[in-house]
Amino acid sequence: MYRSHSCGELRSSAINTEVTLAGWVQKTRDKGFMLWVDLRDRYGVTQLIFDEERTSKDLVEKARTLGREFVIQVKGTVIERESKNPNIPTGEIEILVTELTVLNTALVPPFTIENETDGGEDLRMKYRYLDIRRNPVKQNLIFRHQVTIAVRNYLSDQGFIEIETPYLIKSTPEGARDFLVPSRMNEGQFYALPQSPQTFKQLLMVGGMDKYFQIVKCFRDEDLRADRQPEFTQIDCEMAFVEQEDILDAFEGLTKHLLHKIKGVTVDKFPRLTYDEAMKRFGNDKPDIRFGMEFGELNTVTQHKDFKVFNEAELVVGIAVPGGASYTRKEIDKLIDWVKRPQIGALGMVYVKCNEDGSFKSSVDKFYDQEDLAQWAELTGAKAGDLICVLSGKANKVRAQLSALRMELAERLGLRKKDEFAPLWVVDFPLLEWDEETERYHAMHHPFTSPKPEDIKLLDTDPGKVRANAYDLVLNGNEIGGGSIRIHDKATQSLMFDHLGFTKEEAKAQFGFLMDAFQYGAPPHGGIAFGLDRLVAILGGQETIRDFIAFPKNNSGRDVMIDAPATIDEEQLKELHIKLNL
Amino acid sequence: MYRSHSCGELRSSAINTEVTLAGWVQKTRDKGFMLWVDLRDRYGVTQLIFDEERTSKDLVEKARTLGREFVIQVKGTVIERESKNPNIPTGEIEILVTELTVLNTALVPPFTIENETDGGEDLRMKYRYLDIRRNPVKQNLIFRHQVTIAVRNYLSDQGFIEIETPYLIKSTPEGARDFLVPSRMNEGQFYALPQSPQTFKQLLMVGGMDKYFQIVKCFRDEDLRADRQPEFTQIDCEMAFVEQEDILDAFEGLTKHLLHKIKGVTVDKFPRLTYDEAMKRFGNDKPDIRFGMEFGELNTVTQHKDFKVFNEAELVVGIAVPGGASYTRKEIDKLIDWVKRPQIGALGMVYVKCNEDGSFKSSVDKFYDQEDLAQWAELTGAKAGDLICVLSGKANKVRAQLSALRMELAERLGLRKKDEFAPLWVVDFPLLEWDEETERYHAMHHPFTSPKPEDIKLLDTDPGKVRANAYDLVLNGNEIGGGSIRIHDKATQSLMFDHLGFTKEEAKAQFGFLMDAFQYGAPPHGGIAFGLDRLVAILGGQETIRDFIAFPKNNSGRDVMIDAPATIDEEQLKELHIKLNL
């Protein structure tokens, strides 16, 4: 036993107790005849005192040799601290050390192990084991554990069974790129790592398991955007004998439970928006509804004058920025520059200041009079003191642009409050999505998603209009979960593969086992999957998932700490029946 | 909502309630004007009754079209059953059906979906989703979930944090063969799938996480023996600031908790055997101690006569088989044949019948008198009525042979009782193990295992004698967990790599990050890992892990259901910078 107590637990009630502590030297303060050490472990920091008078000179000398991050064990007596530190839980006591053992020395760490560190991202990733010693990182990992076990226990208590599905599966061309694993025993063949356990969870429903979940790693070999990881964790769930309503109910329950248990927040029944409504009101299928600034469509009140830009636009749409009437010309110009950046891509922005006196001042006063602008204000919900920002163009594009502006301004205005949680369901997603590049329809969710029965007849005539029994759970502007009711009969599944451009042979080769299974008594079923990394980050009031992953990879998919991936032996390649092709 | 109740929950208290049930048609019984259906779901079976008189002829006609495994929904009234079935929980009631909806039809399943099925292993694997509908398989999966969540909650309650470590890591030549994953973004380089999170959990200890666990998939690309899977699940644990005793304590606690919670069994403090003792007394480092039949070494009492076989043997060792004196000559000959099978490999077996009258009759009466044989009986603990079986030869081999015989006989005698649990710790394993093939020492556990400090000096002179701070948890003749105190300083770790035949460069290339980490204040630490698949099987009173895995692979590493691994597109190979080498 290296310790009798942790460095986080001793209080004044323990005064005069003999204790043994172990941990890392956070810092030392030397006053000659006395010397203090802050000793840190996972649980906190306790102050040690070495004192020539009360113990021995040798001991103080020995303590003087301690460097930062040395690992030590001390024995001593808990005493009352002279100058108490109300900022830490152990601040009332210190340990008068009588025995010091150095368990391990330490080189000077490449960055400071403090809440705020001087280490850059790259350095901290290379020495991730040191970064984890820092309180914010450590707390994030502990928080992740708390969320995860809360999810597991809630679902288990609701009768869900966690079932492990295989990691070595088969490659399917649909969706993202697979990571592949050459098989040694099956020459010339490859496993794939799962992008999700989708087909397996459906087979579990065919197998009668009824309520399944799994917290599971998934893999996508995609070029990494800022906050994507090649391996990520999903809370994967499926239920049989359910309709959409049952699933929304079940997982609204989970989300409420988490918000309550983890954040102490109680939320009412989640609002529901259809996909169309979300796009219309927020320009986005994952709207942040913690604040207003809803879209006002202005076509009817802008397209009767000589302003060509608006007249030719498919959509003219604006938002009201609270208090924005006070922005200076310079500030507004900056905003216009912001929407014109290539990432946003607007060609320009029209604005209207809603003056406190009820009058309006706009950048298009040449074309629109006060009465016109009053209508704009009404449609965007602008009040005296607000600024109306108006964009125009192709509906899809202009919605995305204005949504970006809305989020940016809300961020600047402090409307995206960390401790406020506004979940909602977005439902009735389109089944198919037109892909400009390949010039064909793709499954918006995945090819197993059930179309709404009443829309199936549109598949041949107007595929883009077919709605799916698909839903997303959105929290604070992030999609944290998404799912659908699945197809559960072979005929519909075949039809769907047809419409997605699969030949019969391709469909059979890739998903024959699933369609076979549907012939042996498949129950109606559906499910949902949550991105755990993001869910944890958002519950933690942050947006970077990397901060909640113990050993993340960088944007080239590298683990810079262990230096992976790496070259391998010729012998290994040979055994796997492959050679390099550089 | 497809159902108001499950098929397992209705009792006579629900009589007269209107209910909706959904599930699979288990079987139908047709009496013309009446027809019964056993309706099955995950939760049980409920009897449905269709009755011309009480409802309608049409309904009975419709019910008559139902085939096995059709998925149906029914509405009806709970009524008292005329002939009650005390064997099932719902046996007092049945449902008088008023409405029948066929949710899905089913082809005739390729084997019967009953507790005892007529389907062979191969067929059941191909249609695993149907096999899962069978009660024994379904219950195994549910049981696995119960064990797993009990483990998680226990460890979490004890302050352990579950932390996910990466799946895409770096290949290391030590140990078993890795599964490899070619990197698209890092040309010519490969990830490896982890054989265990060993180095990551050690880095978490360096990172101060203190008490870590993870229930995690691990991967080994080995030729599959009977009950091995290429992917398997580990309960992986590590603690810092601990000695061996602390770890044994902590995980004895976990094991006791599981036995109590899952099996209702209370066990005392686990016995501990050193490796040497286990080998001497049971010929095995994972002894089943639910029964005796301990080894009696007979060299001293056999090597003074003219029996050359024994005189030339390194070890002469016997066990007493309870009641074996009554075996016929034929039965004993069969036993001798059994030990001479190539899998066991004994050259012969000497036996002694301990007659009820106190006399002995042996196969070597020519060489040994009654007094000699009485000594054998004493050393093997044989009583009147027992049979002493004696093998001889090279110590290692003969121990393995006699251990196999001991287990076989115990099985036949019914001494390996399903519901009895006899855990023990085996400690003081050798650090190194001589490998005949490569003619060098290998790490018996792994290269991170700490030698016992007092034995380090033997590393140069007598490496085989060096004991490790390593331990196994053994339950009913199976190793269910194993672990060690780790090396936590760079110098010792380097020394160990030297002794294992690594060059400095190899050690640095493979494990440089770990040795670097040890320089920045690594605490003393150690851990253990449990094989979840086996643990669950043993707690479930079975020994085949495959029965507790939802989608296992066959002995060629194939998933015969989805037909993986499979060939892939040329395009995919190209993107991964590899080509086939057949």
Side-chain angles (χ1 to χ4, degrees):
Chain A
M1 197 75 106
Y2 276 94
R3 55 191 173 187
S4 61
H5 295 78
S6 80
C7 294
E9 71 178 297
L10 292 168
R11 303 285 182 273
S12 53
S13 58
I15 282 170
N16 291 329
T17 318
E18 297 297 310
V19 298
T20 308
L21 300 185
W24 286 265
V25 173
Q26 174 86 24
K27 63 177 175 208
T28 54
R29 196 154 39 91
D30 196 341
K31 280 217 175 175
F33 57 98
M34 283 205 276
L35 186 145
W36 287 268
V37 169
D38 279 355
L39 187 68
R40 186 195 70 234
D41 68 8
R42 176 182 133 194
Y43 310 91
V45 172
T46 296
Q47 180 166 297
L48 312 178
I49 178 166
F50 296 82
D51 183 348
E52 273 190 24
E53 275 187 25
R54 279 179 286 180
T55 47
S56 84
K57 195 165 173 172
D58 286 355
L59 200 62
V60 178
E61 282 303 328
K62 191 171 176 188
R64 194 158 282 135
T65 66
L66 297 175
R68 276 183 182 246
E69 300 306 318
F70 273 41
V71 185
I72 62 171
Q73 181 190 43
V74 294
K75 293 186 181 178
T77 314
V78 183
I79 59 173
E80 194 180 348
R81 197 151 142 179
E82 220 163 272
S83 56
K84 299 191 174 42
N85 181 351
N87 298 320
I88 61 169
T90 61
E92 298 209 323
I93 56 98
E94 61 191 353
I95 312 298
L96 179 64
V97 176
T98 54
E99 220 180 302
L100 165 64
T101 310
V102 176
L103 299 173
N104 216 339
T105 59
L107 299 180
V108 177
F111 50 84
T112 54
I113 315 282
E114 306 270 0
N115 287 2
E116 297 292 330
T117 180
D118 56 356
E121 176 87 0
D122 290 349
L123 205 57
R124 289 192 293 117
M125 283 302 144
K126 183 165 161 60
Y127 297 92
R128 184 63 167 172
Y129 46 86
L130 297 180
D131 204 25
I132 289 172
R133 282 190 202 156
R134 298 195 310 114
N135 215 33
V137 182
K138 183 179 70 185
Q139 290 308 331
N140 282 353
L141 296 181
I142 294 174
F143 183 74
R144 182 183 179 113
H145 167 66
Q146 287 162 342
V147 173
T148 309
I149 201 150
V151 170
R152 280 200 161 95
N153 281 315
Y154 180 86
L155 290 176
S156 186
D157 290 346
Q158 301 290 317
F160 286 82
I161 305 295
E162 185 162 20
I163 299 176
E164 295 176 58
T165 53
Y167 277 73
L168 296 172
I169 65 166
K170 190 157 81 168
S171 184
T172 59
E174 185 70 9
R177 221 183 268 109
D178 285 320
F179 280 105
L180 297 179
V181 183
S183 167
R184 181 179 55 87
M185 286 205 273
N186 301 272
E187 208 174 319
Q189 301 192 334
F190 292 73
Y191 302 99
L193 300 179
Q195 295 183 29
S196 90
Q198 182 62 32
T199 49
F200 288 97
K201 68 175 171 174
Q202 291 191 244
L203 291 173
L204 287 170
M205 295 306 106
V206 178
M209 287 309 303
D210 208 69
K211 284 174 155 188
Y212 143 95
F213 84 103
Q214 188 183 190
I215 300 185
V216 62
K217 273 278 174 80
C218 300
F219 303 86
R220 276 181 206 169
D221 185 13
E222 291 298 304
D223 296 325
L224 300 178
R225 282 186 268 147
D227 207 28
R228 284 263 180 114
Q229 288 282 317
E231 48 178 303
F232 54 97
T233 307
Q234 228 170 255
I235 306 169
D236 192 53
C237 311
E238 197 82 3
M239 301 170 81
F241 299 113
V242 290
E243 290 163 331
Q244 175 168 314
E245 197 58 35
D246 303 312
I247 295 187
L248 301 195
D249 260 9
F251 294 95
E252 189 160 322
L254 169 66
T255 313
K256 280 182 175 171
H257 173 77
L258 284 182
L259 286 171
H260 189 256
K261 186 169 175 91
I262 303 287
K263 305 301 296 184
V265 170
T266 307
V267 275
D268 290 337
K269 195 165 165 50
F270 298 0
R272 294 188 192 176
L273 291 181
T274 65
Y275 173 85
D276 287 344
E277 207 180 340
M279 294 308 288
K280 230 173 139 63
R281 287 171 53 189
F282 302 97
N284 197 315
D285 61 2
K286 41 179 196 280
D288 189 340
I289 59 168
R290 280 174 296 183
F291 56 96
M293 297 173 69
E294 288 195 24
F295 284 22
E297 298 197 349
L298 306 177
N299 289 36
T300 55
V301 297
T302 55
Q303 296 187 328
H304 60 297
K305 295 291 171 69
D306 292 337
F307 189 46
K308 218 176 140 194
V309 174
F310 281 2
N311 291 347
E312 289 174 354
E314 186 185 354
L315 179 65
V316 181
V317 59
I319 52 171
V321 185
S326 64
Y327 291 3
T328 62
R329 178 62 204 247
K330 211 173 150 189
E331 284 172 322
I332 292 176
D333 281 347
K334 269 193 165 171
L335 219 50
I336 295 173
D337 287 344
W338 192 90
V339 297
K340 287 165 87 172
R341 294 180 319 150
Q343 300 95 306
I344 309 297
L347 294 172
M349 184 182 94
V350 165
Y351 65 87
V352 183
K353 285 187 172 187
C354 307
N355 297 323
E356 294 291 352
D357 65 3
S359 69
F360 300 97
K361 174 81 194 84
S362 85
S363 57
V364 284
D365 282 349
K366 228 193 316 185
F367 302 103
Y368 300 99
D369 59 25
Q370 293 286 311
E371 215 166 297
D372 290 326
L373 299 177
Q375 285 183 299
W376 298 19
E378 202 186 322
L379 286 169
T380 57
K383 287 189 280 295
D386 291 355
L387 178 78
I388 306 173
C389 298
V390 182
L391 301 181
S392 65
K394 284 281 283 179
N396 282 351
K397 278 194 183 165
V398 78
R399 283 191 176 122
Q401 292 159 358
L402 192 62
S403 171
L405 179 64
R406 175 177 176 269
M407 293 294 270
E408 172 69 17
L409 287 168
E411 191 70 52
R412 293 187 196 174
L413 291 166
L415 299 175
R416 306 194 64 194
K417 295 197 190 91
K418 266 193 179 194
D419 292 331
E420 210 178 309
F421 294 91
L424 76 150
W425 291 104
V426 177
V427 299
D428 293 357
F429 273 80
L431 181 71
L432 303 168
E433 182 172 42
W434 181 254
D435 184 52
E436 298 284 350
E437 208 174 305
T438 56
E439 295 204 314
R440 65 180 184 89
Y441 279 103
H442 281 275
M444 192 161 188
H445 192 55
H446 55 51
F448 315 108
T449 299
S450 170
K452 282 191 184 286
E454 62 268 34
D455 288 3
I456 289 186
K457 57 180 185 301
L458 294 172
L459 265 175
D460 287 316
T461 54
D462 196 354
K465 276 268 157 55
V466 179
R467 291 166 308 159
N469 275 323
Y471 32 81
D472 276 357
L473 182 56
V474 175
L475 182 58
N476 295 359
N478 296 277
E479 179 212 322
I480 57 163
S484 63
I485 297 296
R486 326 298 184 186
I487 296 165
H488 68 281
D489 66 285
K490 186 177 176 171
T492 311
Q493 189 64 67
S494 279
L495 183 72
M496 193 52 52
F497 284 131
D498 288 350
H499 277 280
L500 293 170
F502 282 72
T503 66
K504 291 280 177 220
E505 291 68 39
E506 283 167 350
K508 193 177 153 55
Q510 297 301 330
F511 297 110
F513 61 95
L514 186 66
M515 289 192 290
D516 282 351
F518 284 173
Q519 295 184 291
Y520 288 101
H525 62 284
I528 192 167
F530 295 83
L532 178 67
D533 307 296
R534 185 157 315 280
L535 175 64
V536 170
I538 292 167
L539 290 177
Q542 298 177 39
E543 299 214 340
T544 313
I545 64 171
R546 203 174 286 195
D547 295 341
F548 289 83
I549 296 173
F551 300 102
K553 294 197 168 49
N554 74 8
N555 279 354
S556 318
R558 295 199 70 81
D559 181 326
V560 295
M561 179 185 70
I562 64 169
D563 196 25
T567 54
I568 57 165
D569 293 349
E570 202 54 46
E571 190 52 39
Q572 285 177 289
L573 289 173
K574 217 167 162 185
E575 282 192 317
L576 297 174
H577 322 290
I578 56 172
K579 46 190 172 187
L580 295 182
N581 180 21
L582 303 178
Chain B
M1 198 74 105
Y2 276 92
R3 54 188 172 188
S4 62
H5 296 78
S6 81
C7 294
E9 72 177 299
L10 291 168
R11 303 283 182 275
S12 53
S13 58
I15 282 169
N16 292 328
T17 319
E18 297 296 311
V19 298
T20 308
L21 299 186
W24 286 264
V25 173
Q26 175 85 23
K27 62 178 176 211
T28 55
R29 196 153 41 90
D30 195 341
K31 281 217 174 176
F33 56 97
M34 284 206 275
L35 187 145
W36 288 268
V37 169
D38 280 354
L39 187 68
R40 187 195 68 232
D41 67 8
R42 176 180 133 194
Y43 310 92
V45 172
T46 296
Q47 181 165 295
L48 313 177
I49 177 165
F50 296 82
D51 183 349
E52 273 190 27
E53 277 188 22
R54 280 179 283 179
T55 48
S56 84
K57 196 168 171 170
D58 287 355
L59 200 61
V60 178
E61 283 302 328
K62 191 172 177 189
R64 194 159 282 135
T65 67
L66 297 175
R68 277 183 181 244
E69 301 305 318
F70 273 41
V71 186
I72 62 171
Q73 182 190 43
V74 294
K75 293 186 182 179
T77 314
V78 183
I79 60 173
E80 194 179 347
R81 197 149 142 181
E82 221 162 88
S83 55
K84 300 192 174 40
N85 180 353
N87 298 320
I88 62 170
T90 62
E92 300 210 321
I93 58 99
E94 59 190 355
I95 312 297
L96 179 64
V97 175
T98 53
E99 218 180 304
L100 165 65
T101 311
V102 175
L103 299 174
N104 216 339
T105 59
L107 299 180
V108 176
F111 50 85
T112 53
I113 315 282
E114 305 271 1
N115 287 2
E116 297 292 328
T117 180
D118 56 355
E121 174 88 1
D122 289 350
L123 205 57
R124 289 192 291 117
M125 284 302 145
K126 182 165 162 58
Y127 297 93
R128 183 64 167 173
Y129 45 87
L130 298 180
D131 203 26
I132 289 172
R133 281 189 202 157
R134 296 194 311 114
N135 215 32
V137 182
K138 183 179 72 184
Q139 290 308 331
N140 282 353
L141 297 181
I142 294 175
F143 183 74
R144 183 184 178 111
H145 167 66
Q146 287 161 342
V147 172
T148 310
I149 201 150
V151 170
R152 280 201 160 94
N153 281 318
Y154 180 86
L155 290 176
S156 187
D157 291 346
Q158 301 289 318
F160 285 81
I161 304 296
E162 185 163 20
I163 300 175
E164 294 177 59
T165 52
Y167 277 72
L168 296 171
I169 65 167
K170 190 157 82 168
S171 182
T172 59
E174 186 69 10
R177 221 181 266 110
D178 287 318
F179 279 105
L180 296 178
V181 183
S183 168
R184 182 179 55 86
M185 286 205 274
N186 301 272
E187 209 175 317
Q189 301 191 335
F190 292 73
Y191 300 100
L193 299 179
Q195 294 183 27
S196 92
Q198 182 62 34
T199 49
F200 288 98
K201 68 174 171 174
Q202 291 192 244
L203 291 173
L204 286 171
M205 294 306 107
V206 178
M209 287 309 302
D210 208 74
K211 283 172 155 189
Y212 143 95
F213 83 103
Q214 189 183 190
I215 300 186
V216 62
K217 274 277 175 80
C218 301
F219 304 85
R220 276 181 207 171
D221 185 12
E222 292 297 305
D223 296 326
L224 300 178
R225 280 187 270 147
D227 206 28
R228 284 262 179 113
Q229 289 282 317
E231 48 177 303
F232 55 96
T233 307
Q234 228 170 253
I235 307 169
D236 192 52
C237 312
E238 197 82 3
M239 302 170 81
F241 299 112
V242 290
E243 291 161 333
Q244 175 168 313
E245 197 56 36
D246 303 311
I247 295 187
L248 301 196
D249 261 8
F251 294 95
E252 189 160 322
L254 168 65
T255 312
K256 280 181 175 171
H257 173 76
L258 285 181
L259 285 171
H260 188 257
K261 186 168 176 94
I262 302 289
K263 305 301 296 185
V265 169
T266 307
V267 274
D268 290 335
K269 192 163 169 49
F270 298 0
R272 294 188 192 175
L273 290 181
T274 65
Y275 173 84
D276 287 343
E277 209 180 339
M279 295 307 287
K280 228 172 141 62
R281 287 172 52 189
F282 301 96
N284 197 314
D285 61 2
K286 41 180 196 282
D288 189 340
I289 59 168
R290 280 176 295 183
F291 56 95
M293 297 172 68
E294 287 194 25
F295 284 22
E297 299 198 348
L298 305 178
N299 289 36
T300 54
V301 297
T302 56
Q303 296 186 328
H304 60 298
K305 295 290 172 70
D306 290 338
F307 190 44
K308 216 175 142 195
V309 175
F310 281 3
N311 291 346
E312 288 174 355
E314 186 184 355
L315 180 65
V316 181
V317 60
I319 52 171
V321 185
S326 64
Y327 290 5
T328 61
R329 179 62 204 247
K330 212 173 150 189
E331 284 172 322
I332 292 176
D333 281 347
K334 268 193 167 169
L335 219 52
I336 294 173
D337 287 345
W338 192 90
V339 296
K340 286 165 87 173
R341 295 180 318 150
Q343 301 95 307
I344 310 295
L347 294 173
M349 185 181 93
V350 165
Y351 65 87
V352 184
K353 284 189 173 186
C354 307
N355 297 321
E356 294 291 352
D357 64 3
S359 68
F360 301 97
K361 173 83 194 82
S362 85
S363 56
V364 284
D365 282 350
K366 223 189 329 180
F367 302 103
Y368 300 98
D369 58 26
Q370 293 286 311
E371 211 167 300
D372 290 326
L373 299 177
Q375 284 183 301
W376 299 18
E378 200 187 320
L379 287 169
T380 56
K383 286 189 279 295
D386 291 355
L387 178 77
I388 306 173
C389 299
V390 182
L391 301 181
S392 64
K394 283 280 283 180
N396 282 351
K397 280 195 182 163
V398 79
R399 282 188 177 124
Q401 291 159 358
L402 191 63
S403 171
L405 179 64
R406 175 177 176 269
M407 295 295 271
E408 172 68 18
L409 287 168
E411 191 70 52
R412 293 187 196 175
L413 292 166
L415 299 174
R416 304 194 65 194
K417 297 198 189 88
K418 265 191 179 195
D419 291 332
E420 209 179 309
F421 293 92
L424 77 149
W425 291 105
V426 177
V427 299
D428 294 356
F429 273 81
L431 181 72
L432 303 168
E433 183 172 41
W434 181 255
D435 184 52
E436 298 285 347
E437 209 175 304
T438 56
E439 297 204 311
R440 65 177 182 90
Y441 280 104
H442 281 276
M444 192 161 189
H445 193 54
H446 55 50
F448 315 109
T449 300
S450 170
K452 283 194 183 284
E454 62 269 32
D455 289 0
I456 290 186
K457 59 182 183 304
L458 295 172
L459 265 174
D460 288 315
T461 54
D462 196 355
K465 277 269 158 58
V466 178
R467 290 165 308 159
N469 275 322
Y471 32 81
D472 275 358
L473 183 55
V474 174
L475 182 58
N476 295 0
N478 296 278
E479 180 211 322
I480 59 164
S484 63
I485 297 297
R486 325 299 184 187
I487 296 165
H488 68 281
D489 67 285
K490 186 176 177 172
T492 311
Q493 190 64 67
S494 279
L495 182 71
M496 193 52 52
F497 285 131
D498 287 351
H499 277 279
L500 293 170
F502 282 73
T503 65
K504 292 278 177 223
E505 292 67 39
E506 283 167 351
K508 193 177 152 58
Q510 297 302 331
F511 298 110
F513 61 95
L514 186 67
M515 289 193 288
D516 282 351
F518 284 173
Q519 295 185 290
Y520 288 101
H525 62 284
I528 192 167
F530 295 82
L532 178 67
D533 307 293
R534 185 156 314 278
L535 176 65
V536 171
I538 292 168
L539 290 177
Q542 298 177 38
E543 297 214 340
T544 314
I545 64 171
R546 204 175 285 194
D547 295 342
F548 290 84
I549 296 173
F551 300 102
K553 294 197 168 52
N554 74 8
N555 280 352
S556 318
R558 294 199 70 81
D559 182 326
V560 296
M561 180 185 70
I562 64 170
D563 196 24
T567 54
I568 57 165
D569 293 348
E570 202 54 45
E571 191 51 41
Q572 285 177 287
L573 288 173
K574 217 166 160 183
E575 281 192 319
L576 298 174
H577 322 289
I578 56 172
K579 47 188 170 189
L580 295 182
N581 179 23
L582 303 178

